[in-house]
Amino acid sequence: MDMQETDHVDILQRNHKYLKEKLQVEPVLDALYQDCVFTQADYDRCRQAGPEKCEMLLEILKKKGQEGYRTLCSVLDTTQPFIKERLDGTSTESGQTSNIFVNKIKMEAWHRKEIEEKMKQIALLQSENNDLKLEMEQLRRNQVAVERTRQEEQEGYISRIEEQSQLLEELKSHLAQSQEDLQKSNEQCDELKKMLEEETEAYKSLVGLSASPIRDNSGHIGKKLDEAKSYYDLKQACVLSVHGHCDTGELLLLPCLHAACESCIGKLHTQGRHNKLRCPCGQDFTMEDAVPDYVRRNEADFASSSEKDKRCTYLQRNHDTLAVVYCTECDDHLCPNCLNIHNSIRQHSSHTVREISETKMKSIVSLLKESYCEEHPHNKLQLYDHHCKKPVCVVCLHGAHKLHSNSDLKHLHAETKNHLLEDLKKQECKLQNIRDTLKCANHHQNKLHETKNILETEIMTVHRSVAIKFLRRQAQLLQDIPLALRDQNESIQAQIDLASNVEASTVRTIDYIQRALKSTRHWELICLTEAINKNSKENLKVVETTVDERSIQVRFSFQGKKALEKLIDTSGCLATNIRQGDIPDTQPSIADLQTEIHTLAQYASEREMKLDGSLKALAVHQQRWVNLERIITQHIGVNLHEYAPAHITEANRGADSEWLLNTADVYEVIKTMLTEGVGRLGEQQTCIKLKVCPSNMDIVGQNTSPRLLVCPELRLDVARANKKCCHVNAHGELINSPLEAQGQTKGGFQMYFGTCTSTPIFIPPQLSAKPNVDTQSPQYWETQSDIGVVSEDLHLSIFEMGVSEQGQMDKWYRACNQFRSWSVRVWSCDRHQGRICTAVYQEGERGRCFTDAIPLSPKTQATLRFGVVLDVWRGRIGFIDLHREIVLAKCDVEIREPLYPMFGVVPKSSECVVKMNLVSGQGINMTAKKKSLIDEVLTPRAQMY
């Protein structure tokens, strides 16, 4: 027998005992029989062997060769794998690895599983590899960026170091120069001191008077301001209190926005003989003027609750124990013992309990809880009774407040709050103007002080070279300086006092409004509105006055220097509003008289030459007038003699001589021809377009008072547009969307939501004589605005157009709220809720509303056209609604600075889309209806809105 065929016998022999103990015979016997390894006889013999069945199986199996052994291993791999592992181990030990049975199906499944796991690992590794590559790329980019940034910073540091080095060198040179100047100044100062000592000694010895120092009256400036400000402590509880321990729960608001308690006011009213009382700030008031000061009451309650240690308020009995927590639902402070009782109640398990330190950090708004009705404690306050001026609940409407007018408390509070916010903005603007005025006055006051020093220096310098009598005059003039400056000082001091009082009142109003918005309930704020509005209006009524610059320009004028010995007692004076040298020395010398004679002879020669030139120019002018008359008569067919001035026609009536006209006469003839003779020219010739003039001219008021109307060529200024909210496109249209290009949002207006024209409308220079307003022409331009409503929640202002003085162009977001501005505004009106109205504003004051300009609904498209009529010489501004064909308003104003046409749009394109086009010059289609509206604006009957 072959050695390979007996290997399995050796393996079975070695494990014979183990197989006899562990082998399950039945499965193995059945498998051997089914695979035809055992014959029927072998199968029966094993079955009949009884307990020796395993022994019989092994003996027969040894004779069946390798096939029988593999069948045994296959069965054991399924039923008893541990025996199979033992047999494989014996084969491995004996070096008979060929006898190890391998289950191909199981092995293939295991291999497939291993392959799948390896593929997953490979995919995961690939994903990680890609992530690493991305990270490496990002790190490389970051490294490049860091390197670039480091290089730029290094270059910047190097450039800054170089600049600082250069600056250091300049500072060193300036320091050296300053030291030299200081040394020279010290030397000059020493010389002046020595000279002053010598002059003082000479003065004492010659005059016999003591040189008393000049009294400085400027030290009192600002004392009244400090004294006035001491009264205006807005945080003081009661301004009438002496001991300072008044009940804050009884504080009343005075008309000046100070506060006083009822008891102090009652004592003052009892002691006084009249009905009117006076606040320490100086303003009078009556008992009826005082209203409850809810702001200071709430602030006092908040301060007392925040600063003092909290005591337990949970139990009804008073146990003076320090509280540690606060329950927001129960509104009680709890000590440790009461906290345990509170937590033991089942209904309190959902309550919010906070530490005392957390409640102290809350603002006063969080502690103002919603109020309940006094008559119905379980009902919240929802309405405001205008008759009783108090909040009520819904149930109160069926009782004593049934017939009273009322409003929704929250809605009325929102309206009141918006009104106060607008008033706050006006007060802040007023405060800025007052402070500017005060700054200017202080500057003038300092300049007066400098003028005083300059005058003293000039007087001392001029009088240093004169004799003993002039020293006496010098002392008299030095004593006159305070008297000469007294009126200016008193005027400026009065202005400072007025401005300081208005500033203090305005600051007090602003502070109180801000505190009222934070520290009052809805109905409390409504009750305070009347008192606040009254004080705000008083502040706004005050007109800022400016000091005339010329009133502080005091100069020392020296007269009689050449004849000093004769006029020593009357020489020199102090005069205002003159420049140095305006009052020359009136005592001429012989040389001066000779110079004057020579000047007169030269002047006579020049006048003779000018007269010859004028005669030649007159001949040329006469020929030009003849040519002009011939051209006008030939092209228009109008006889120019009919429109000649009266003094020309009377002088040449019946004479054949030609007219001699100056420039004014020629202008009068042409103007009269255009205005009075327009009816003869025909309707088709009323529009005059000159190629040399960049404007259109037209004639309006043909049936009443003909006027020459100018339509200037205007362009929207692209550079001045507020690029954060709007821009001017390539077609010259103003769009309410920010500029998309990067780096181009800087420049232009910083506050105003819009732009202006590229050129202003200048004020004509004032002539020496009163100008003839009939010779000046009004101007006209239009706007066409395309509107697309996007959202019903529309912003207040949609667009506006008007004019503003140059100094007020970028003072606010809209021109309608600026001083020295006049405009038309289309907006979502706060008076007519849910409607878009048109209103005209004059210097921040709103006029009449024209409702239903366009429907307030999404996807609404509309085009609105407005016109502006401006007559600078007559001071007339008017606005025309070209869609309704009506005059919105016209008013007479005093124009002080050049005017800029202004154009504003809503800054949110998500609410409304606006495209505004400026129509001017030859782009205007002048119809008969439009002429009549313009003529209505220019009529002498001024209608103020």
Short mmCIF file of all heavy atoms in Angstrom, two decimals, residues 5 66 93 136 204 239 262 276 298 323 399 466 567 640 646 711 741 767 770 852 897:
data_model
loop_
_atom_site.label_atom_id
_atom_site.label_comp_id
_atom_site.label_asym_id
_atom_site.label_seq_id
_atom_site.Cartn_x
_atom_site.Cartn_y
_atom_site.Cartn_z
N GLU A 5 -1.57 6.72 1.12
CA GLU A 5 -2.87 6.15 1.42
C GLU A 5 -2.96 5.69 2.86
O GLU A 5 -4.05 5.44 3.37
CB GLU A 5 -3.13 4.98 0.47
CG GLU A 5 -3.25 5.40 -1.00
CD GLU A 5 -3.50 4.19 -1.89
OE1 GLU A 5 -3.52 3.09 -1.34
OE2 GLU A 5 -3.71 4.40 -3.12
N GLN A 66 -8.31 7.34 1.51
CA GLN A 66 -8.38 8.80 1.68
C GLN A 66 -9.80 9.33 1.48
O GLN A 66 -10.20 10.32 2.11
CB GLN A 66 -7.44 9.48 0.67
CG GLN A 66 -5.96 9.25 0.93
CD GLN A 66 -5.48 9.95 2.18
OE1 GLN A 66 -6.07 10.91 2.63
NE2 GLN A 66 -4.40 9.43 2.77
N GLU A 93 1.29 18.36 12.73
CA GLU A 93 2.44 17.94 13.54
C GLU A 93 3.25 16.86 12.84
O GLU A 93 4.48 16.83 12.92
CB GLU A 93 1.96 17.45 14.89
CG GLU A 93 1.39 18.57 15.77
CD GLU A 93 0.79 18.02 17.07
OE1 GLU A 93 0.83 16.79 17.24
OE2 GLU A 93 0.30 18.85 17.87
N MET A 136 -3.59 69.11 2.49
CA MET A 136 -2.27 69.57 2.06
C MET A 136 -2.38 70.77 1.12
O MET A 136 -1.61 71.73 1.22
CB MET A 136 -1.54 68.41 1.37
CG MET A 136 -1.11 67.29 2.32
SD MET A 136 0.15 67.85 3.48
CE MET A 136 1.51 68.14 2.38
N LYS A 204 6.00 156.98 35.68
CA LYS A 204 5.80 157.44 37.05
C LYS A 204 6.49 158.79 37.28
O LYS A 204 5.95 159.68 37.94
CB LYS A 204 6.33 156.41 38.03
CG LYS A 204 5.51 155.13 38.08
CD LYS A 204 6.11 154.15 39.09
CE LYS A 204 5.30 152.88 39.17
NZ LYS A 204 5.86 151.90 40.13
N VAL A 239 -36.87 119.29 43.36
CA VAL A 239 -36.07 120.51 43.29
C VAL A 239 -36.50 121.53 44.34
O VAL A 239 -35.78 122.49 44.59
CB VAL A 239 -36.19 121.14 41.89
CG1 VAL A 239 -35.58 120.22 40.86
CG2 VAL A 239 -37.64 121.44 41.53
N GLU A 262 -45.55 116.41 45.94
CA GLU A 262 -46.80 117.12 46.20
C GLU A 262 -46.72 117.95 47.48
O GLU A 262 -47.26 119.06 47.54
CB GLU A 262 -47.94 116.11 46.28
CG GLU A 262 -48.24 115.41 44.96
CD GLU A 262 -49.45 114.50 45.08
OE1 GLU A 262 -50.12 114.55 46.13
OE2 GLU A 262 -49.73 113.76 44.13
N LYS A 276 -49.50 131.45 40.69
CA LYS A 276 -48.33 130.95 39.98
C LYS A 276 -47.19 130.67 40.95
O LYS A 276 -46.95 131.42 41.88
CB LYS A 276 -47.87 131.96 38.92
CG LYS A 276 -48.74 131.99 37.68
CD LYS A 276 -48.08 132.77 36.58
CE LYS A 276 -48.90 132.69 35.30
NZ LYS A 276 -48.26 133.41 34.18
N ASN A 298 -40.74 105.52 38.78
CA ASN A 298 -40.29 104.17 38.44
C ASN A 298 -38.79 104.02 38.66
O ASN A 298 -38.31 102.97 39.12
CB ASN A 298 -40.63 103.84 37.00
CG ASN A 298 -42.14 103.78 36.78
OD1 ASN A 298 -42.90 103.55 37.72
ND2 ASN A 298 -42.57 103.99 35.55
N ALA A 323 -33.44 87.74 52.09
CA ALA A 323 -33.84 86.85 51.01
C ALA A 323 -32.62 86.43 50.20
O ALA A 323 -31.65 87.18 50.07
CB ALA A 323 -34.85 87.54 50.11
N GLY A 399 -69.23 100.51 32.35
CA GLY A 399 -69.51 101.20 33.60
C GLY A 399 -69.41 102.70 33.46
O GLY A 399 -70.04 103.32 32.59
N VAL A 466 6.42 158.88 21.59
CA VAL A 466 5.95 160.27 21.76
C VAL A 466 6.41 160.80 23.09
O VAL A 466 7.00 160.11 23.92
CB VAL A 466 4.42 160.33 21.64
CG1 VAL A 466 3.98 159.89 20.27
CG2 VAL A 466 3.77 159.52 22.72
N LEU A 567 -2.26 168.36 18.55
CA LEU A 567 -3.50 167.61 18.75
C LEU A 567 -3.33 166.47 19.74
O LEU A 567 -4.01 165.46 19.68
CB LEU A 567 -3.97 167.03 17.40
CG LEU A 567 -4.18 168.03 16.28
CD1 LEU A 567 -4.52 167.31 14.99
CD2 LEU A 567 -5.28 169.01 16.63
N LEU A 640 -39.31 147.23 -33.67
CA LEU A 640 -38.65 147.39 -32.38
C LEU A 640 -38.96 148.73 -31.73
O LEU A 640 -38.79 148.90 -30.53
CB LEU A 640 -37.14 147.25 -32.57
CG LEU A 640 -36.38 146.47 -31.49
CD1 LEU A 640 -36.96 145.10 -31.36
CD2 LEU A 640 -34.90 146.40 -31.80
N ALA A 646 -39.56 154.44 -22.52
CA ALA A 646 -40.32 155.68 -22.61
C ALA A 646 -39.39 156.88 -22.83
O ALA A 646 -39.68 157.77 -23.62
CB ALA A 646 -41.15 155.88 -21.36
N CYS A 711 -35.86 126.72 -18.37
CA CYS A 711 -35.77 125.29 -18.00
C CYS A 711 -34.30 124.88 -18.11
O CYS A 711 -33.83 124.52 -19.20
CB CYS A 711 -36.63 124.43 -18.91
SG CYS A 711 -38.38 124.89 -18.90
N ALA A 741 -20.61 97.04 -7.60
CA ALA A 741 -19.17 96.95 -7.84
C ALA A 741 -18.42 97.10 -6.52
O ALA A 741 -18.73 97.96 -5.70
CB ALA A 741 -18.73 98.02 -8.84
N LEU A 767 -26.78 143.68 -6.01
CA LEU A 767 -26.30 144.89 -6.67
C LEU A 767 -26.31 146.04 -5.68
O LEU A 767 -26.91 145.99 -4.60
CB LEU A 767 -27.19 145.21 -7.88
CG LEU A 767 -27.30 144.08 -8.92
CD1 LEU A 767 -28.22 144.50 -10.03
CD2 LEU A 767 -25.93 143.72 -9.47
N LYS A 770 -31.24 148.47 -5.57
CA LYS A 770 -32.21 147.39 -5.43
C LYS A 770 -32.46 146.76 -6.81
O LYS A 770 -32.79 147.45 -7.76
CB LYS A 770 -33.53 147.93 -4.87
CG LYS A 770 -34.54 146.84 -4.62
CD LYS A 770 -35.80 147.39 -4.00
CE LYS A 770 -36.82 146.29 -3.77
NZ LYS A 770 -38.06 146.81 -3.18
N ASP A 852 -53.91 108.50 -1.32
CA ASP A 852 -54.09 107.56 -2.44
C ASP A 852 -53.27 107.97 -3.66
O ASP A 852 -53.78 108.12 -4.77
CB ASP A 852 -55.58 107.44 -2.82
CG ASP A 852 -56.40 106.91 -1.66
OD1 ASP A 852 -55.85 106.12 -0.88
OD2 ASP A 852 -57.57 107.28 -1.56
N GLU A 897 -28.39 130.77 0.85
CA GLU A 897 -27.23 130.08 0.27
C GLU A 897 -27.62 129.50 -1.08
O GLU A 897 -28.81 129.39 -1.40
CB GLU A 897 -26.75 128.96 1.19
CG GLU A 897 -26.30 129.42 2.56
CD GLU A 897 -25.86 128.26 3.42
OE1 GLU A 897 -25.77 127.13 2.89
OE2 GLU A 897 -25.62 128.46 4.62
#
